[in-house]
Amino acid sequence: MKTVNNDKNETEIPVFAPKKRRVRRLKDSFFAQFLLCFICLFFLALIVYKDEITGFFTVSKNENQQKWELSLPFSAKRQNILLMGADMSENPDKPFENTRSDSIYLLSVAPHAKDINVISIPRDSKVYIHSRSTPDKINHAFAYGGINLSVKTIEQLLGIRIDHYLVVSNQALVDFIDKIGGIDVYVEKNMHYDDYSAGLHINLEKGKRHLTGKQAEGYMRYRKDGLGDIGRIRRQQWFFSALSDKLKDPAVIIKMPEIIKSVSKYIQTDFSLFELAQYAALLKSTDTTKIKIATLPGEPSQRGIVSYWVLDPKGVQEVVNNFIFNDKPKALERPVEAGILYVESEEENALLLQKALENKGIEVNIKQVKNPGHDHIAIHNFDVPKEFFNELEYDIPILKNKQMVYDIIGINKAARDFTVTLAGSQ
C-alpha cells in the first residue's frame, strides 16, 4: 500500500487537539518487563488482538512534540484510551510501516475506575479522515498518518479527547498465542476461507477448539458469514473472554519474560511505566463480564467494489453519551421486554429462564434457533439501567458470568430491551 499525502489545499477541520506524544522507551529490567507485560495483556485482550506486552514499547516521533504531562489513570478525570491492532507489514523490521488499523477500540475508564466501557469502531466505518476533504474508511487513517492521524480522526468523529493509545501489530497475536501453548475457543460455525494475496487461510470446524496462533488470527479475522466486520468484532469479543481466562494460568505467567523479548517491537504506546502499573493492578480486580461493550451502530453499504459501514449519527451519539459522558437512563413507562434465543440442547435452561424472567414481571419472547453464536446478554435499550441487569444476574443463576454486550444494531435481537442467547458455548 502506498502512503497518500494530504492535499495542501485542503481546509483543516477543527478538532480537539491531542496531547503531544513524547517518545519513551521503557527500561529493560525484569520487573518492568513483567509488569508491563501484565498490563498490556489486559489492553490487548480488550482490543482483542493479542495480548502480549512488553517492557520496551516504541512510539512514533513527532517534530512538534512538547513536554509530556503525567495523567494518573484513576484520578477524578475519565480516561479515554485508543486500542488498535494493525495489519502485518511487509517489512519485518518496521512492523507499522504502510499498514492499516485492523481493530479499533476506545476504552473509557471512569473516575477512580468505577466502571470500564469499551466502544468498538468498525474498521470499514465511512468517515472524514482529519484534514482530508473526501470520505474514506477509518482504518486508512493509520496508513496515511500513523497513530497521530488516527487519534485526530477518532476525536473528530466522536467529539471526545483521547488521553493515551496502545497499538499492536497482528504479528504479535500469532507469536503470543503460540508461546502460551494455544488457546481454547468455542468456534460458533464452520469457517473456511482462503486469501492467497494476504496469506490468510482459515479452516475451522464448529465446536470447542484448541487454536494455534495462526488459527486464532483466522478466527478473529473471518468475515465471510454475512455479518462482515460486525461479525468479526463479535468474535474478537468472544476471543477476549477466552484469553482473559488463559491469562490466569500460572503456567502462562511464568513464560512472560520470554514472550516479552519476542514481541516488544510489535507494540507502540505513550503510556509511562507508572501508568501501566496502575492498569496492571486494575486487571487483577476486574470482572471482565461487567465491562460494557458496544459497537458503533450503522449499516453496510457498497459503492462499486468498495464496501463501507455507514454510521448512524444518532446511534453513535447515543453510544458516546452513555459510554463516555455517562448519561442517566430515562424511566421506562412500560414493562421490560426480553427475548431468549436458544439452541435445541439448551431448551430446558431456556424454559427455566423464561419462567424466572416472567416471575419478575418481564415480558418474554422465546425462540429456538440454529446458530446464535456464543452465550451472552445483548442489551438493546440504554434506558434499562445497569443495576437492573446486575439484579437479574444475582437472582437468576443461569445469567451469571455471561458477557453483556450493548447492541443497538440488533444482531440476533428478539425483543425491544434485551436478548439472552443460550448457545451452549459455556
Side-chain angles (χ1 to χ4, degrees):
M1 177 186 294
K2 295 182 179 179
T3 302
V4 182
N5 294 324
N6 291 339
D7 188 337
K8 294 181 180 178
N9 295 322
E10 289 176 351
T11 303
E12 184 167 342
I13 302 172
V15 65
F16 287 103
K19 295 184 297 186
K20 302 301 180 182
R21 314 291 179 181
R22 188 182 82 172
V23 176
R24 59 188 302 115
R25 182 175 290 273
L26 299 174
K27 293 186 178 179
D28 182 14
S29 69
F30 172 80
F31 175 75
Q33 293 176 357
F34 184 86
L35 188 57
L36 290 177
C37 172
F38 218 64
I39 170 48
C40 288
L41 286 175
F42 172 66
F43 278 9
L44 293 177
L46 282 179
I47 189 173
V48 193
Y49 249 110
K50 349 182 130 252
D51 47 74
E52 16 200 311
I53 281 16
T54 200
F56 8 123
F57 299 98
T58 58
V59 182
S60 301
K61 293 185 178 181
N62 191 326
E63 293 180 357
N64 299 319
Q65 288 172 340
Q66 298 176 352
K67 185 176 180 181
W68 177 80
E69 60 183 66
L70 179 65
S71 178
L72 299 184
F74 307 135
S75 66
K77 176 178 175 289
R78 177 176 283 273
Q79 296 286 290
N80 296 318
I81 302 160
L82 179 61
L83 309 174
M84 299 175 66
D87 288 334
M88 292 186 186
S89 171
E90 295 181 358
N91 186 344
D93 296 323
K94 296 181 179 180
F96 298 102
E97 182 178 70
N98 293 340
T99 60
R100 296 169 298 182
S101 53
D102 189 58
S103 300
I104 309 171
Y105 289 82
L106 185 70
L107 173 70
S108 187
V109 182
H112 310 295
K114 290 182 178 179
D115 63 65
I116 300 174
N117 302 330
V118 180
I119 297 175
S120 175
I121 305 174
R123 58 173 285 169
D124 292 341
S125 296
K126 189 175 183 179
V127 301
Y128 280 91
I129 293 175
H130 178 69
S131 298
R132 299 181 65 82
S133 60
T134 56
D136 206 336
K137 293 186 178 184
I138 195 169
N139 70 329
H140 289 176
F142 194 78
Y144 296 144
I147 186 60
N148 289 323
L149 186 58
S150 295
V151 166
K152 290 178 181 178
T153 299
I154 293 171
E155 288 183 325
Q156 176 178 294
L157 171 67
L158 302 182
I160 54 98
R161 183 185 297 277
I162 292 175
D163 300 287
H164 291 291
Y165 66 82
L166 184 106
V167 187
V168 181
S169 168
N170 287 356
Q171 184 60 50
L173 168 65
V174 176
D175 292 355
F176 178 78
I177 297 301
D178 285 339
K179 287 185 181 298
I180 64 173
I183 187 168
D184 295 325
V185 173
Y186 178 80
V187 179
E188 68 275 13
K189 62 187 70 177
N190 294 335
M191 299 180 185
H192 303 287
Y193 176 72
D194 291 292
D195 184 343
Y196 291 93
S197 62
L200 180 63
H201 304 283
I202 304 172
N203 186 21
L204 299 173
E205 299 295 329
K206 179 180 177 180
K208 291 185 178 180
R209 305 295 174 197
H210 186 76
L211 306 184
T212 64
K214 287 297 291 184
Q215 288 173 327
E217 179 196 16
Y219 175 74
M220 288 191 291
R221 293 182 64 184
Y222 184 76
R223 297 172 14 135
K224 302 299 179 180
D225 60 354
L227 295 175
D229 200 35
I230 301 306
R232 189 177 67 96
I233 288 172
R234 278 290 179 86
R235 276 184 285 281
Q236 291 178 352
Q237 293 169 355
W238 311 142
F239 181 84
F240 161 58
S241 296
L243 180 58
S244 63
D245 290 337
K246 182 77 173 184
L247 294 180
K248 298 173 185 177
D249 185 350
V252 172
I253 297 176
I254 293 174
K255 296 179 180 180
M256 287 305 167
E258 175 189 356
I259 295 173
I260 290 169
K261 291 179 182 179
S262 67
V263 301
S264 59
K265 68 178 181 180
Y266 299 123
I267 299 171
Q268 291 183 342
T269 186
D270 64 347
F271 276 105
S272 71
L273 174 61
F274 179 78
E275 289 168 315
L276 289 175
Q278 299 287 313
Y279 283 101
L282 176 64
L283 171 63
K284 293 173 119 185
S285 60
T286 298
D287 180 353
T288 58
T289 64
K290 296 298 189 295
I291 295 175
K292 291 169 58 177
I293 303 173
T295 300
L296 290 186
E299 59 184 15
S301 175
Q302 184 136 354
R303 298 186 61 182
I305 61 174
V306 181
S307 60
Y308 290 101
W309 181 252
V310 180
L311 296 169
D312 171 20
K314 183 178 179 181
V316 169
Q317 191 61 55
E318 187 176 10
V319 171
V320 171
N321 288 346
N322 282 272
F323 274 53
I324 297 179
F325 299 130
N326 200 30
D327 275 10
K328 301 300 181 184
K330 301 174 183 177
L332 286 181
E333 298 180 352
R334 57 172 175 78
V336 174
E337 298 176 16
I340 301 174
L341 298 177
Y342 68 94
V343 294
E344 184 177 0
S345 61
E346 290 291 310
E347 182 172 13
E348 182 178 353
N349 286 330
L351 294 175
L352 290 173
L353 177 59
Q354 178 186 18
K355 183 177 180 180
L357 292 174
E358 289 176 341
N359 286 341
K360 288 183 169 292
I362 299 171
E363 296 183 3
V364 180
N365 175 42
I366 185 169
K367 181 180 180 181
Q368 182 178 320
V369 293
K370 289 185 177 180
N371 295 303
H374 287 243
D375 285 21
H376 68 284
I377 302 171
I379 303 170
H380 313 301
N381 184 358
F382 284 114
D383 288 331
V384 180
K386 184 178 180 180
E387 292 74 19
F388 173 85
F389 295 102
N390 291 341
E391 181 180 336
L392 286 184
E393 186 180 50
Y394 181 82
D395 292 340
I396 305 175
I398 196 173
L399 296 181
K400 291 186 184 299
N401 300 321
K402 282 193 169 37
Q403 180 69 58
M404 289 190 185
V405 177
Y406 281 74
D407 175 25
I408 58 177
I409 298 173
I411 299 176
N412 289 338
K413 182 177 180 180
R416 194 181 339 184
D417 296 316
F418 71 97
T419 301
V420 180
T421 295
L422 302 178
S425 62
Q426 285 188 334

